Amino acid sequence: MPSYQPWYHGNITRSKAEDLLSKAARDGSFLIRDSESIQGAYALCVLYQNCVYTYRILPNEDKKLSVQASEGVPIRFFTMLPELVEAYYSPNMGLVTHLQYSVQREEEVEEEPEQNSHPPQLPPRNIPLDVKDGDSKTSEQASKSLSDIYLAKLQHMDLSILPEEHEMAIQEYFRTSVCLDAEQVQNGNPNLPGLKKLIMAVCKNLNSEISRVMPTLEVFHRTLDQQLSPGIGPKQNFCDSGPVSCRLEQLTKLLYSIEDKVKGSVFEYVGFDAGPRKSLIPIVTFEVKQESLGISTKMFLKVDIESGKLYFKKSKDGPEDKYFVHNKILQLVKSQKMHAKLVIAVETEKEKVLRKEFVFDDTKKREGFCQLLQQMKNKHSEKPEPDMITVFVGTWNMGNAGPPPNINSWFQCKGQGKTQDDTADHIPHDFYVIGTQEDPLGEREWADTVKGVLRNITNISFKQVAIHTLWNIRIVVLAKPEHENRISHVFSDSVKTGIANTLGNKGAVGVSFMFNGTSFGFVNSHLTSGSEKKLRRNQNYASILRFLNLGDKKLNPFDITHRFTHLFWLGDLNYRVEMPSSEAENIVSKIKQQQYQELLTKDQLSMERKESKVFLHFAEEEITFAPTYRFERDTRERYAYTKAKATGTKYNLPSWCDRVLRKSYPLVHVVCQAYGCTNNIMTSDHSPVFASFEVGVASQYVSKQDPSSAPPGGIQIMNCVAILSTKSKTKFFIEFHSSFLEKTVKTTEGENSEHSDGSIKVWFGNQVELTPIISDPEYLLDQHILICVKSTDSDESYGEGCVALRAAEISYTEFQITLTHHGEKTGTLTGGIQLRTSEGKPTEKLYDFIKIERDDPIASKGKSGDLNKSCSNQPHDISNPNYMGVSFRGGNVIDKGWSYSMPPRNVPCGGQAGKEPKKGYDVSTRSPTGKPASVGENGKTSEMFDNPLYGSVTKSHGRSKDQDQQQKDLLIPPDMLFGSSKTADGDTDRPPVPTPRNRSFTCSENKPQPPTPVSLHPPSQKKPVVPSRSEGGMGLSRPPLPAKSRPGVPEPQTPKPRDYRDTSELTSKHRPPGRPDVSKTGRPVK
């Protein structure tokens, strides 16, 4: 806008515009804001009869503006917005009512500059300055003052150690060249030719020395290349001219490469199999106890990752004749009741599955052992692409001070809180994401520092994926070299939220990329400081959410919280403990006693999240470490919670300012392995915070089926009903976005009806058919659908959400998701989804190797047992449990949050382990990935939860029965969970199938259905009605269950209505004949 206009509100959100008009409460009230859907366009919002009507103002090729009003009204063009507004004060211009009362802009409280003892350092930015003729004298004076400043500083330096020619060169630069460089910058040339000339002169000998050394190193490097004959392979060309810094970097990279090649050659020569990784993880031995006939026996478990063997030893120095190779270690099952207990399922030479139970010294030792075994399985996996990686996320406000010499503990997750065991010190993460604030170092210096630390810890030279800096806010992303070709679509961006949103001392930097078929986003933010500025921090968060431009640009209706499979938000968020300053001593006392819970109830971020004001649907691991701010520097024993100012004493109460939060798509694997802070890095008044995550990833899938012969897949979405919190008077449609679709799919307009609470209910009656580019189940079950409800008049989003296709893996599934827009809840969307895929069985995921059970306190019957006994209890595997935006219901199963309870498959019971070893541990439970879980104590199937440490589980993990019952009863608000519903025949175990209800939502081609609905999976993967042997070559006979397991309950004599999954006990001669139209409703039954 050329001048201030009271009715122009800039880039406020649609919901904010509606709030302002509702407060005006007069027909004809109006305002103009920027369009959310079209850059350069505007939205005219008019209030009439308590409804908001929105009209788009679009520029044409000549930049003339016109209003999209009612049909039949001639279109008028205007040069400026004030001219347009003046014209529409007249009636009969095609609007619902003419403009009458402009709604004034709300005055924002500007952020005051911080009064630190040291002002924030301004970054060296190359900004061309517009210098007018009248300002030339001022510019000349500035250059002279710059020269005088540096010459004065130089006089206080000890120049006796410098060669005379170097001393003269530096003096000459500060005397004349620095002024010339300043003029070059003002004229738009940021290359600083004077500085380059100085460096070339000073480094003349270094340059010649590099030229002398480099050819020798090149020859040595090429010699180390393992070729069949000399001269084969491309020659590496190193430039023999250019900036010294560039050549030094080449020299450094060359030396690292030589070191790696020498290690590889030596390892190969001595017969050491280091695999594709260049890291060397040492052999680790754990002392454990094993219960046998009530007697506790000391044992030793020796883990050799490089050779892929796990040794069982009775003494530390005993023989190593009893061991299991990695592919014979079938599963690890963690006890939920006893946090140091672990069950190891192994396959013996006789193809029997043994269940060995051990108790470690503590939980951390057990976690370290599990991480080592997981590393072993990953290292020796035959899969070409990983389906699980680990990510380290660290944040540190450096306080404008350089790091100490040793910061290893930060990257090894050592200190307070949920930390890693010493045995996991040398296990490298796949990605390291480091966010810093008030970082005084240059980009290259800090990146080299981090790479050096990681090389020292892991023996790997990590590759830099991206680095982005906004003033002193920085994010660095490093990856293992082996992942270099798996990473693509790297983007970075920044948003300023400092004073008037123009200064970058506060704001955010972000990086996003694709890892094979999985999208990642990382945001490092430094929000407004001050205990009393909570609302300003909330505004910072909203601004970053709206304007940080990362990820797939085709997903422009969605903000960054919906664009990524995994989004991690880290940084100095500056939320404080909201308590009176008089409680300072009491707070410190509680911290010393590690009584954090009372303080955490007053944590501003937790309170704001609870009220859904910020970080909606994000998750944070339980905090079990001390507040990370504000310490006295060079110690972690004392908090400096007072600061003397001219206006009086300011209090900075100890607070958890530095945080790591995450948000992932529903039904994906994500587990937090560590979350805490260091206690030995003390150069800043903040302590560094670390977090590590185990996350599931999808590969770049290539179908193994012939596209011409494979049956087409399909996703049917039906009965969609949206409830929107809006006063807009418009029509709506739904857009479906996904990477498995060739293009965006839209519905027709929905039918609106108004609720008494002011919300709008929109019914989208037509069934939508989505056709995936690949119909293989292994591909589709890892995919998600992004849903956006849009208005027809302005094409703006009124809410976005996400649904996982894995939810519909078994049958038709009803879903309910929370719709959000710009971080605010805007409504709910309910509907049904049914998946139709081609034949195939998804492969087992590596992260299904470790499970957690909730077990009963029943004594073990011996040192080993059959893993296939008593398969009676069903587990509940929680994946991404904190993401509370969606729930799925099927039959009487109620799922909490994003969790998804699946029917068990392949229930092997007693006596078949010897004949089917691979199914011996494939017990009757499923994880959200569709893979089997594990058997718990005494053969009972286990209930799955996220990894616990320190004997505590976060609120969303282990819920009590009372909490579960409350969850069942809470049908409102809509983003909670569906209640259970019975089917028409009264069978509560039967999930809903697409049968007519209020409206018919089945296709006509699917109407002639037999009584037993068609299964979407082969029968070998279905839940049996009664315990039985699996189909693979087994008869129909089954041993009777023990009487004590079913007290007073006779065997059922009358047949029960058949469940759609109840086919696993049928042999081929009893199986019903296949139907030719089975492919229309599901995968054919083999």
Side-chain angles (χ1 to χ4, degrees), residues 572-626:
D572 180 2
L573 306 186
N574 254 322
Y575 286 94
R576 308 301 176 90
V577 171
E578 199 167 273
M579 296 179 72
S581 56
S582 57
E583 291 288 315
E585 288 294 336
N586 186 33
I587 291 173
V588 173
S589 175
K590 289 184 180 296
I591 292 171
K592 289 180 179 179
Q593 299 171 32
Q594 299 184 12
Q595 297 178 3
Y596 305 138
Q597 289 307 312
E598 182 180 342
L599 302 181
L600 285 168
T601 60
K602 300 296 183 180
D603 171 61
Q604 289 178 340
L605 179 56
S606 300
M607 292 189 292
E608 295 300 286
R609 287 181 59 213
K610 189 175 182 180
E611 295 179 11
S612 300
K613 293 182 179 179
V614 290
F615 292 101
L616 184 64
H617 297 161
F618 277 78
E620 183 182 25
E621 189 68 9
E622 182 182 6
I623 293 177
T624 56
F625 52 92

Side-chain angles (χ1 to χ4, degrees), residues 722-726 732 758-762 789 798-799 819 826-828:
I723 298 178
L724 303 174
S725 302
T726 180
F732 300 94
S759 62
I760 296 178
K761 183 177 181 180
V762 189
V789 179
Y798 278 66
L819 296 175
T826 57
T828 59

Side-chain angles (χ1 to χ4, degrees), residues 815-1033:
F815 63 84
Q816 174 171 306
I817 59 175
T818 299
L819 296 175
T820 65
H821 185 59
H822 294 326
E824 300 177 351
K825 178 182 173 182
T826 57
T828 59
L829 179 72
T830 60
I833 181 171
Q834 185 162 13
L835 176 64
R836 183 178 70 250
T837 70
S838 60
E839 292 187 37
K841 179 180 179 181
T843 58
E844 184 179 352
K845 304 290 187 181
L846 283 172
Y847 47 78
D848 286 313
F849 173 60
I850 300 177
K851 292 297 178 185
I852 302 176
E853 69 178 350
R854 176 183 289 172
D855 45 1
D856 296 326
I858 303 175
S860 174
K861 295 184 179 180
K863 66 179 181 179
S864 64
D866 192 344
L867 203 67
N868 304 314
K869 293 180 181 178
S870 183
C871 305
S872 55
N873 294 343
Q874 290 189 27
H876 301 286
D877 194 284
I878 306 294
S879 178
N880 199 6
N882 291 322
Y883 198 131
M884 299 298 292
V886 70
S887 60
F888 299 99
R889 57 174 173 170
N892 66 342
V893 177
I894 293 186
D895 303 294
K896 301 170 178 58
W898 285 113
S899 66
Y900 185 49
S901 300
M902 305 289 288
R905 304 186 302 177
N906 290 348
V907 187
C909 286
Q912 66 180 14
K915 297 183 180 180
E916 292 189 356
K918 295 303 179 186
K919 295 183 180 179
Y921 69 103
D922 189 9
V923 297
S924 63
T925 63
R926 286 181 49 87
S927 73
T929 61
K931 290 296 131 192
S934 57
V935 166
E937 296 293 310
N938 282 337
K940 290 186 178 182
T941 54
S942 50
E943 286 198 50
M944 306 306 169
F945 291 87
D946 281 343
N947 291 349
L949 277 185
Y950 298 107
S952 62
V953 183
T954 56
K955 293 179 182 178
S956 60
H957 294 182
R959 289 193 178 97
S960 65
K961 293 182 179 178
D962 293 339
Q963 289 171 315
D964 285 348
Q965 189 58 45
Q966 292 174 4
Q967 197 75 2
K968 292 180 182 180
D969 297 336
L970 287 176
L971 301 183
I972 298 177
D975 59 308
M976 301 304 284
L977 311 174
F978 278 114
S980 57
S981 59
K982 294 186 178 182
T983 53
D985 58 2
D987 183 3
T988 60
D989 291 329
R990 187 172 181 176
V993 294
T995 53
R997 293 171 36 161
N998 296 334
R999 297 176 296 274
S1000 174
F1001 49 76
T1002 53
C1003 297
S1004 59
E1005 62 181 8
N1006 294 337
K1007 287 181 180 178
Q1009 294 288 345
T1012 303
V1014 179
S1015 171
L1016 298 181
H1017 279 282
S1020 62
Q1021 302 175 353
K1022 301 301 178 289
K1023 171 185 176 183
V1025 179
V1026 293
S1028 66
R1029 299 171 183 264
S1030 66
E1031 296 177 70

Side-chain angles (χ1 to χ4, degrees), residues 78-94:
F78 304 90
T79 306
M80 302 291 291
L81 273 180
E83 180 187 350
L84 181 150
V85 170
E86 188 67 29
Y88 278 85
Y89 270 105
S90 304
N92 303 320
M93 293 289 290

